[in-house]
Amino acid sequence: MRVDGMRAGLLCAALVTGWPATAAESAGDYGGSLSRVYLAHQRLLAVRDACDRAFPAQAKANEKAYAAWRARHKALLAELDARVAMMIRGSSKDEKDYMRNIGKYEGTILEYRNGERDDLLAQPRDGMEQGCADYRSYLTGSGSDFTKEYADELRELRKRKLPQE
């Protein structure tokens, strides 16, 4: 799975833009780390979407594999969402601005994921069916542990505590 540099750059910029001045010296590290992990999850969703479109008969198996992966990563996904919301809230003037910024960010994410999906679907079908089977194997295998795969990024992120709700 390749990352489109322009879409990834826009997303990274969206994550980093406007981070409060108190975090200016390490905002790039934090925003870059958050972007890398968040984009990896979005790529998983894009691959699932591409495989579902290319091979509709495999959609149930894809969803089952993704649901198992999502269940194992439930806490991490919630943490990532909270961190993104925290960054957006920190760059927003008020609640109205926050809601507008959330909408912009969600649009950027959807554009990124759809672009990744479309790039996959535009590739020759030779080997795609095997690639989709490999995707399911990845999701259900031990190699898909984001806490290990993105350990460095998560260490960087967790230097900043999330507010307690």
Side-chain angles (χ1 to χ4, degrees):
M1 292 177 269
R2 71 179 183 76
V3 177
D4 179 305
M6 188 163 85
R7 281 193 296 262
L10 288 172
L11 180 59
C12 193
L15 287 172
V16 175
T17 301
W19 186 250
T22 57
E25 65 188 41
S26 60
D29 292 337
Y30 185 91
S33 293
L34 182 55
S35 182
R36 280 187 294 282
V37 182
Y38 205 87
L39 283 175
H41 177 234
Q42 295 305 311
R43 281 191 302 276
L44 289 181
L45 293 170
V47 172
R48 182 193 65 187
D49 293 348
C51 290
D52 288 355
R53 282 194 182 189
F55 308 103
Q58 296 178 3
K60 272 190 176 176
N62 293 339
E63 181 52 37
K64 183 178 178 183
Y66 176 73
W69 181 90
R70 187 180 61 230
R72 287 194 322 274
H73 291 83
K74 183 179 179 179
L76 176 60
L77 295 174
E79 176 186 351
L80 293 173
D81 286 342
R83 290 184 180 284
V84 167
M86 182 175 72
M87 284 187 76
I88 294 170
R89 188 164 298 283
S91 67
S92 301
K93 294 177 276 187
D94 54 29
E95 191 63 23
K96 185 177 178 182
D97 191 40
Y98 171 73
M99 296 308 289
R100 186 174 28 256
N101 289 336
I102 284 284
K104 286 180 191 176
Y105 172 77
E106 287 175 351
T108 301
I109 288 293
L110 185 60
E111 182 181 322
Y112 172 82
R113 191 167 75 216
N114 289 342
E116 289 291 303
R117 178 203 62 214
D118 294 346
D119 286 351
L120 290 169
L121 289 171
Q123 295 177 13
R125 298 293 169 147
D126 295 348
M128 190 170 177
E129 191 166 9
Q130 181 60 49
C132 291
D134 291 346
Y135 165 76
R136 288 189 301 277
S137 295
Y138 169 78
L139 289 175
T140 57
S142 62
S144 67
D145 185 347
F146 269 30
T147 58
K148 290 180 183 173
E149 191 172 349
Y150 294 97
D152 292 340
E153 288 86 349
L154 293 172
R155 253 190 308 284
E156 179 65 33
L157 295 177
R158 290 172 178 156
K159 288 177 183 177
R160 294 204 181 121
K161 301 293 181 205
L162 286 171
Q164 299 298 324
E165 293 186 10

